[in-house]
Short mmCIF file of all heavy atoms in Angstrom, two decimals:
data_model
loop_
_atom_site.label_atom_id
_atom_site.label_comp_id
_atom_site.label_asym_id
_atom_site.label_seq_id
_atom_site.Cartn_x
_atom_site.Cartn_y
_atom_site.Cartn_z
N VAL N 544 -10.48 33.05 -13.74
CA VAL N 544 -9.42 32.69 -12.81
C VAL N 544 -8.41 31.75 -13.47
O VAL N 544 -7.20 31.93 -13.32
CB VAL N 544 -10.01 32.05 -11.53
CG1 VAL N 544 -8.91 31.50 -10.64
CG2 VAL N 544 -10.85 33.05 -10.77
N VAL N 545 -8.91 30.79 -14.24
CA VAL N 545 -7.95 29.85 -14.85
C VAL N 545 -7.22 30.46 -16.03
O VAL N 545 -6.06 30.14 -16.28
CB VAL N 545 -8.58 28.50 -15.26
CG1 VAL N 545 -9.01 27.73 -14.04
CG2 VAL N 545 -9.73 28.66 -16.22
N ILE N 546 -7.89 31.37 -16.73
CA ILE N 546 -7.21 31.99 -17.87
C ILE N 546 -6.01 32.82 -17.39
O ILE N 546 -4.96 32.85 -18.02
CB ILE N 546 -8.21 32.85 -18.69
CG1 ILE N 546 -9.13 31.91 -19.50
CG2 ILE N 546 -7.46 33.79 -19.64
CD1 ILE N 546 -10.16 32.62 -20.33
N LYS N 547 -6.15 33.41 -16.22
CA LYS N 547 -5.03 34.14 -15.65
C LYS N 547 -3.81 33.22 -15.54
O LYS N 547 -2.70 33.58 -15.91
CB LYS N 547 -5.39 34.67 -14.27
CG LYS N 547 -4.30 35.48 -13.64
CD LYS N 547 -4.48 35.58 -12.13
CE LYS N 547 -3.98 34.34 -11.44
NZ LYS N 547 -4.02 34.42 -9.99
N ASP N 548 -4.03 32.00 -15.06
CA ASP N 548 -2.92 31.05 -14.93
C ASP N 548 -2.36 30.66 -16.29
O ASP N 548 -1.15 30.46 -16.44
CB ASP N 548 -3.37 29.79 -14.19
CG ASP N 548 -3.55 30.05 -12.70
OD1 ASP N 548 -3.04 31.09 -12.23
OD2 ASP N 548 -4.22 29.25 -12.03
N ILE N 549 -3.25 30.54 -17.27
CA ILE N 549 -2.77 30.17 -18.61
C ILE N 549 -1.89 31.29 -19.17
O ILE N 549 -0.84 31.02 -19.77
CB ILE N 549 -3.97 29.88 -19.55
CG1 ILE N 549 -4.75 28.68 -19.02
CG2 ILE N 549 -3.49 29.63 -20.98
CD1 ILE N 549 -5.98 28.33 -19.82
N PHE N 550 -2.27 32.53 -18.94
CA PHE N 550 -1.42 33.66 -19.36
C PHE N 550 -0.04 33.55 -18.74
O PHE N 550 0.97 33.81 -19.37
CB PHE N 550 -2.04 34.99 -18.90
CG PHE N 550 -3.19 35.45 -19.76
CD1 PHE N 550 -3.97 36.53 -19.38
CD2 PHE N 550 -3.48 34.83 -20.96
CE1 PHE N 550 -5.02 36.97 -20.15
CE2 PHE N 550 -4.54 35.25 -21.74
CZ PHE N 550 -5.31 36.32 -21.34
N ARG N 551 -0.01 33.16 -17.49
CA ARG N 551 1.28 33.09 -16.81
C ARG N 551 2.12 31.94 -17.33
O ARG N 551 3.34 32.03 -17.39
CB ARG N 551 1.09 32.95 -15.31
CG ARG N 551 0.61 34.24 -14.70
CD ARG N 551 1.03 34.39 -13.28
NE ARG N 551 2.44 34.12 -13.07
CZ ARG N 551 2.97 34.05 -11.86
NH1 ARG N 551 2.23 34.23 -10.81
NH2 ARG N 551 4.26 33.82 -11.72
N LYS N 552 1.46 30.86 -17.69
CA LYS N 552 2.22 29.71 -18.17
C LYS N 552 2.72 29.95 -19.61
O LYS N 552 3.84 29.57 -19.94
CB LYS N 552 1.33 28.47 -18.12
CG LYS N 552 1.91 27.23 -18.75
CD LYS N 552 2.90 26.54 -17.85
CE LYS N 552 3.52 25.33 -18.58
NZ LYS N 552 4.50 24.64 -17.77
N TYR N 553 1.89 30.53 -20.43
CA TYR N 553 2.30 30.75 -21.82
C TYR N 553 2.24 32.24 -22.13
O TYR N 553 1.27 32.70 -22.74
CB TYR N 553 1.38 29.99 -22.78
CG TYR N 553 1.20 28.53 -22.43
CD1 TYR N 553 0.01 28.05 -21.91
CD2 TYR N 553 2.25 27.63 -22.62
CE1 TYR N 553 -0.16 26.71 -21.58
CE2 TYR N 553 2.09 26.29 -22.28
CZ TYR N 553 0.90 25.84 -21.77
OH TYR N 553 0.75 24.52 -21.44
N PRO N 554 3.24 33.00 -21.73
CA PRO N 554 3.18 34.45 -21.95
C PRO N 554 3.17 34.75 -23.45
O PRO N 554 3.75 34.00 -24.25
CB PRO N 554 4.45 34.97 -21.28
CG PRO N 554 5.03 33.84 -20.53
CD PRO N 554 4.49 32.58 -21.10
N ASN N 555 2.52 35.84 -23.78
CA ASN N 555 2.50 36.33 -25.15
C ASN N 555 1.94 35.33 -26.16
O ASN N 555 2.44 35.20 -27.27
CB ASN N 555 3.90 36.75 -25.60
CG ASN N 555 4.47 37.77 -24.65
OD1 ASN N 555 3.76 38.71 -24.26
ND2 ASN N 555 5.69 37.57 -24.23
N LYS N 556 0.92 34.62 -25.78
CA LYS N 556 0.37 33.66 -26.72
C LYS N 556 -1.14 33.84 -26.90
O LYS N 556 -1.66 33.76 -27.99
CB LYS N 556 0.65 32.24 -26.24
CG LYS N 556 1.47 31.47 -27.27
CD LYS N 556 1.77 30.09 -26.79
CE LYS N 556 1.81 29.13 -27.97
NZ LYS N 556 2.17 27.79 -27.55
N TYR N 557 -1.80 34.02 -25.79
CA TYR N 557 -3.26 34.04 -25.86
C TYR N 557 -3.87 35.37 -25.45
O TYR N 557 -5.05 35.46 -25.15
CB TYR N 557 -3.83 32.94 -24.96
CG TYR N 557 -3.34 31.57 -25.38
CD1 TYR N 557 -2.44 30.86 -24.60
CD2 TYR N 557 -3.76 31.02 -26.59
CE1 TYR N 557 -1.97 29.63 -24.99
CE2 TYR N 557 -3.30 29.78 -26.99
CZ TYR N 557 -2.41 29.09 -26.19
OH TYR N 557 -1.96 27.87 -26.58
N GLU N 558 -3.03 36.42 -25.44
CA GLU N 558 -3.53 37.69 -24.93
C GLU N 558 -4.63 38.28 -25.81
O GLU N 558 -5.32 39.22 -25.43
CB GLU N 558 -2.39 38.70 -24.77
CG GLU N 558 -1.55 38.46 -23.53
CD GLU N 558 -0.57 37.30 -23.67
OE1 GLU N 558 -0.49 36.73 -24.77
OE2 GLU N 558 0.11 36.97 -22.68
N SER N 559 -4.81 37.70 -26.99
CA SER N 559 -5.86 38.23 -27.86
C SER N 559 -7.25 38.08 -27.27
O SER N 559 -8.19 38.75 -27.68
CB SER N 559 -5.80 37.50 -29.21
OG SER N 559 -5.86 36.11 -28.97
N VAL N 560 -7.38 37.23 -26.28
CA VAL N 560 -8.72 37.02 -25.71
C VAL N 560 -9.06 38.06 -24.66
O VAL N 560 -10.17 38.06 -24.13
CB VAL N 560 -8.86 35.61 -25.10
CG1 VAL N 560 -8.46 34.55 -26.10
CG2 VAL N 560 -8.06 35.48 -23.82
N ILE N 561 -8.10 38.93 -24.36
CA ILE N 561 -8.34 39.89 -23.27
C ILE N 561 -9.61 40.70 -23.49
O ILE N 561 -10.37 40.94 -22.54
CB ILE N 561 -7.11 40.80 -23.11
CG1 ILE N 561 -5.96 40.00 -22.50
CG2 ILE N 561 -7.42 42.01 -22.23
CD1 ILE N 561 -4.65 40.72 -22.42
N ALA N 562 -9.83 41.09 -24.73
CA ALA N 562 -11.01 41.91 -25.02
C ALA N 562 -12.29 41.21 -24.55
O ALA N 562 -13.14 41.81 -23.89
CB ALA N 562 -11.08 42.19 -26.52
N THR N 563 -12.40 39.90 -24.87
CA THR N 563 -13.57 39.13 -24.45
C THR N 563 -13.70 39.14 -22.93
O THR N 563 -14.80 39.26 -22.39
CB THR N 563 -13.43 37.67 -24.93
OG1 THR N 563 -12.85 37.68 -26.22
CG2 THR N 563 -14.77 36.98 -24.95
N LEU N 564 -12.56 38.98 -22.28
CA LEU N 564 -12.61 38.94 -20.83
C LEU N 564 -13.12 40.25 -20.26
O LEU N 564 -13.93 40.28 -19.34
CB LEU N 564 -11.21 38.65 -20.26
CG LEU N 564 -10.53 37.37 -20.71
CD1 LEU N 564 -9.23 37.17 -19.95
CD2 LEU N 564 -11.45 36.17 -20.48
N CYS N 565 -12.63 41.36 -20.87
CA CYS N 565 -13.01 42.67 -20.35
C CYS N 565 -14.52 42.91 -20.46
O CYS N 565 -15.09 43.63 -19.64
CB CYS N 565 -12.26 43.78 -21.09
SG CYS N 565 -10.51 43.81 -20.65
N GLU N 566 -15.13 42.28 -21.43
CA GLU N 566 -16.57 42.46 -21.57
C GLU N 566 -17.34 41.97 -20.35
O GLU N 566 -18.45 42.39 -20.08
CB GLU N 566 -17.09 41.66 -22.79
CG GLU N 566 -16.70 42.28 -24.11
CD GLU N 566 -16.90 41.30 -25.25
OE1 GLU N 566 -17.67 40.32 -25.08
OE2 GLU N 566 -16.27 41.49 -26.31
N ASN N 567 -16.74 41.02 -19.64
CA ASN N 567 -17.46 40.41 -18.52
C ASN N 567 -17.13 41.01 -17.17
O ASN N 567 -17.48 40.46 -16.14
CB ASN N 567 -17.16 38.91 -18.49
CG ASN N 567 -17.75 38.21 -19.68
OD1 ASN N 567 -18.95 38.02 -19.76
ND2 ASN N 567 -16.91 37.87 -20.65
N LEU N 568 -16.45 42.12 -17.24
CA LEU N 568 -15.99 42.75 -16.01
C LEU N 568 -17.10 42.97 -15.00
O LEU N 568 -16.94 42.72 -13.80
CB LEU N 568 -15.35 44.10 -16.38
CG LEU N 568 -14.21 44.57 -15.52
CD1 LEU N 568 -13.09 43.54 -15.55
CD2 LEU N 568 -13.71 45.89 -16.04
N ASP N 569 -18.24 43.39 -15.49
CA ASP N 569 -19.32 43.78 -14.56
C ASP N 569 -19.93 42.60 -13.82
O ASP N 569 -20.43 42.75 -12.72
CB ASP N 569 -20.44 44.49 -15.34
CG ASP N 569 -19.91 45.73 -16.01
OD1 ASP N 569 -18.94 46.29 -15.47
OD2 ASP N 569 -20.45 46.11 -17.07
N SER N 570 -19.87 41.43 -14.47
CA SER N 570 -20.58 40.30 -13.86
C SER N 570 -19.76 39.63 -12.76
O SER N 570 -20.23 38.70 -12.12
CB SER N 570 -20.93 39.28 -14.93
OG SER N 570 -19.75 38.78 -15.50
N LEU N 571 -18.53 40.08 -12.56
CA LEU N 571 -17.69 39.39 -11.59
C LEU N 571 -18.02 39.87 -10.18
O LEU N 571 -17.89 41.05 -9.87
CB LEU N 571 -16.21 39.66 -11.87
CG LEU N 571 -15.76 39.39 -13.29
CD1 LEU N 571 -14.29 39.71 -13.45
CD2 LEU N 571 -16.02 37.94 -13.67
N ASP N 572 -18.44 38.96 -9.33
CA ASP N 572 -18.74 39.39 -7.97
C ASP N 572 -17.95 38.61 -6.93
O ASP N 572 -18.04 38.88 -5.74
CB ASP N 572 -20.24 39.30 -7.67
CG ASP N 572 -20.80 37.93 -8.01
OD1 ASP N 572 -20.00 37.01 -8.25
OD2 ASP N 572 -22.03 37.78 -8.03
N GLU N 573 -17.14 37.64 -7.36
CA GLU N 573 -16.35 36.91 -6.38
C GLU N 573 -14.95 37.46 -6.31
O GLU N 573 -14.36 37.79 -7.34
CB GLU N 573 -16.27 35.43 -6.78
CG GLU N 573 -17.58 34.72 -6.60
CD GLU N 573 -17.65 33.46 -7.42
OE1 GLU N 573 -16.58 32.92 -7.76
OE2 GLU N 573 -18.77 33.03 -7.74
N PRO N 574 -14.39 37.55 -5.09
CA PRO N 574 -13.07 38.17 -4.94
C PRO N 574 -12.01 37.54 -5.84
O PRO N 574 -11.23 38.26 -6.47
CB PRO N 574 -12.72 37.92 -3.47
CG PRO N 574 -14.01 37.66 -2.80
CD PRO N 574 -14.96 37.13 -3.82
N GLU N 575 -12.01 36.21 -5.91
CA GLU N 575 -10.93 35.57 -6.66
C GLU N 575 -10.99 35.95 -8.13
O GLU N 575 -9.97 36.23 -8.76
CB GLU N 575 -11.02 34.05 -6.50
CG GLU N 575 -9.69 33.38 -6.72
CD GLU N 575 -9.76 31.86 -6.68
OE1 GLU N 575 -10.81 31.31 -6.27
OE2 GLU N 575 -8.78 31.23 -7.07
N ALA N 576 -12.21 35.98 -8.66
CA ALA N 576 -12.37 36.33 -10.07
C ALA N 576 -12.05 37.81 -10.29
O ALA N 576 -11.39 38.18 -11.28
CB ALA N 576 -13.80 36.03 -10.51
N ARG N 577 -12.48 38.67 -9.39
CA ARG N 577 -12.17 40.09 -9.52
C ARG N 577 -10.66 40.31 -9.48
O ARG N 577 -10.10 41.03 -10.30
CB ARG N 577 -12.84 40.88 -8.38
CG ARG N 577 -14.33 41.07 -8.57
CD ARG N 577 -14.95 41.70 -7.34
NE ARG N 577 -14.89 43.15 -7.32
CZ ARG N 577 -15.76 43.94 -7.92
NH1 ARG N 577 -16.76 43.41 -8.60
NH2 ARG N 577 -15.65 45.25 -7.87
N ALA N 578 -10.02 39.63 -8.51
CA ALA N 578 -8.57 39.79 -8.38
C ALA N 578 -7.88 39.31 -9.65
O ALA N 578 -6.95 39.96 -10.15
CB ALA N 578 -8.07 39.01 -7.16
N ALA N 579 -8.34 38.19 -10.20
CA ALA N 579 -7.72 37.66 -11.41
C ALA N 579 -7.88 38.64 -12.56
O ALA N 579 -6.94 38.90 -13.33
CB ALA N 579 -8.35 36.32 -11.77
N MET N 580 -9.06 39.18 -12.69
CA MET N 580 -9.33 40.12 -13.79
C MET N 580 -8.47 41.37 -13.62
O MET N 580 -7.89 41.87 -14.59
CB MET N 580 -10.83 40.48 -13.77
CG MET N 580 -11.30 41.19 -15.01
SD MET N 580 -11.14 40.14 -16.48
CE MET N 580 -10.54 41.37 -17.63
N ILE N 581 -8.38 41.87 -12.39
CA ILE N 581 -7.56 43.07 -12.14
C ILE N 581 -6.10 42.78 -12.47
O ILE N 581 -5.40 43.58 -13.07
CB ILE N 581 -7.72 43.53 -10.68
CG1 ILE N 581 -9.13 44.04 -10.46
CG2 ILE N 581 -6.70 44.60 -10.33
CD1 ILE N 581 -9.50 44.25 -9.00
N TRP N 582 -5.66 41.59 -12.11
CA TRP N 582 -4.28 41.21 -12.43
C TRP N 582 -4.07 41.27 -13.94
O TRP N 582 -3.08 41.80 -14.42
CB TRP N 582 -3.99 39.81 -11.92
CG TRP N 582 -2.56 39.39 -12.17
CD1 TRP N 582 -1.49 39.63 -11.39
CD2 TRP N 582 -2.07 38.69 -13.33
NE1 TRP N 582 -0.36 39.14 -11.96
CE2 TRP N 582 -0.67 38.55 -13.14
CE3 TRP N 582 -2.66 38.18 -14.49
CZ2 TRP N 582 0.14 37.91 -14.08
CZ3 TRP N 582 -1.84 37.54 -15.42
CH2 TRP N 582 -0.47 37.41 -15.21
N ILE N 583 -5.04 40.71 -14.67
CA ILE N 583 -4.90 40.69 -16.13
C ILE N 583 -4.84 42.12 -16.67
O ILE N 583 -3.98 42.45 -17.49
CB ILE N 583 -6.07 39.90 -16.77
CG1 ILE N 583 -5.94 38.41 -16.41
CG2 ILE N 583 -6.08 40.07 -18.28
CD1 ILE N 583 -7.16 37.58 -16.78
N VAL N 584 -5.72 42.98 -16.18
CA VAL N 584 -5.74 44.37 -16.67
C VAL N 584 -4.41 45.05 -16.37
O VAL N 584 -3.81 45.72 -17.22
CB VAL N 584 -6.92 45.16 -16.04
CG1 VAL N 584 -6.85 46.62 -16.44
CG2 VAL N 584 -8.24 44.56 -16.48
N GLY N 585 -3.91 44.86 -15.16
CA GLY N 585 -2.65 45.49 -14.79
C GLY N 585 -1.48 44.95 -15.58
O GLY N 585 -0.64 45.70 -16.08
N GLU N 586 -1.46 43.65 -15.73
CA GLU N 586 -0.33 43.00 -16.41
C GLU N 586 -0.26 43.40 -17.89
O GLU N 586 0.81 43.57 -18.45
CB GLU N 586 -0.48 41.48 -16.28
CG GLU N 586 0.70 40.67 -16.76
CD GLU N 586 1.96 40.89 -15.92
OE1 GLU N 586 1.83 41.35 -14.77
OE2 GLU N 586 3.05 40.63 -16.45
N TYR N 587 -1.43 43.56 -18.49
CA TYR N 587 -1.45 43.86 -19.92
C TYR N 587 -1.98 45.27 -20.18
O TYR N 587 -2.62 45.51 -21.19
CB TYR N 587 -2.28 42.81 -20.66
CG TYR N 587 -1.69 41.43 -20.48
CD1 TYR N 587 -2.22 40.53 -19.58
CD2 TYR N 587 -0.53 41.06 -21.18
CE1 TYR N 587 -1.65 39.29 -19.37
CE2 TYR N 587 0.05 39.82 -20.97
CZ TYR N 587 -0.52 38.94 -20.07
OH TYR N 587 0.06 37.73 -19.87
N ALA N 588 -1.68 46.17 -19.24
CA ALA N 588 -2.22 47.53 -19.31
C ALA N 588 -1.87 48.19 -20.65
O ALA N 588 -2.67 48.95 -21.21
CB ALA N 588 -1.69 48.36 -18.16
N GLU N 589 -0.69 47.86 -21.17
CA GLU N 589 -0.28 48.53 -22.39
C GLU N 589 -1.10 48.10 -23.60
O GLU N 589 -1.14 48.77 -24.62
CB GLU N 589 1.22 48.33 -22.64
CG GLU N 589 1.65 46.91 -22.99
CD GLU N 589 1.91 46.06 -21.75
OE1 GLU N 589 1.34 46.36 -20.69
OE2 GLU N 589 2.68 45.08 -21.86
N ARG N 590 -1.78 46.95 -23.48
CA ARG N 590 -2.58 46.48 -24.62
C ARG N 590 -4.05 46.85 -24.47
O ARG N 590 -4.84 46.59 -25.37
CB ARG N 590 -2.51 44.96 -24.73
CG ARG N 590 -1.09 44.47 -24.81
CD ARG N 590 -1.10 42.97 -24.93
NE ARG N 590 0.25 42.48 -24.67
CZ ARG N 590 0.76 41.40 -25.22
NH1 ARG N 590 0.01 40.68 -26.02
NH2 ARG N 590 1.98 41.04 -24.97
N ILE N 591 -4.43 47.28 -23.31
CA ILE N 591 -5.83 47.61 -23.09
C ILE N 591 -5.96 49.12 -23.07
O ILE N 591 -5.41 49.79 -22.18
CB ILE N 591 -6.33 47.01 -21.76
CG1 ILE N 591 -6.04 45.49 -21.74
CG2 ILE N 591 -7.80 47.29 -21.54
CD1 ILE N 591 -6.27 44.83 -20.41
#
Side-chain angles (χ1 to χ4, degrees):
Chain N
V544 172
V545 293
I546 286 179
K547 182 200 81 175
D548 286 343
I549 297 177
F550 282 171
R551 287 208 49 188
K552 172 80 183 179
Y553 309 108
N555 304 315
K556 240 179 147 177
Y557 300 109
E558 282 77 4
S559 53
V560 307
I561 289 173
T563 321
L564 303 186
C565 289
E566 287 165 20
N567 292 287
L568 212 59
D569 300 332
S570 62
L571 308 180
D572 52 11
E573 288 160 24
E575 204 185 349
R577 284 173 86 84
M580 193 63 221
I581 292 168
W582 182 86
I583 292 170
V584 174
E586 188 66 20
Y587 299 101
E589 68 274 25
R590 305 181 194 211
I591 306 170

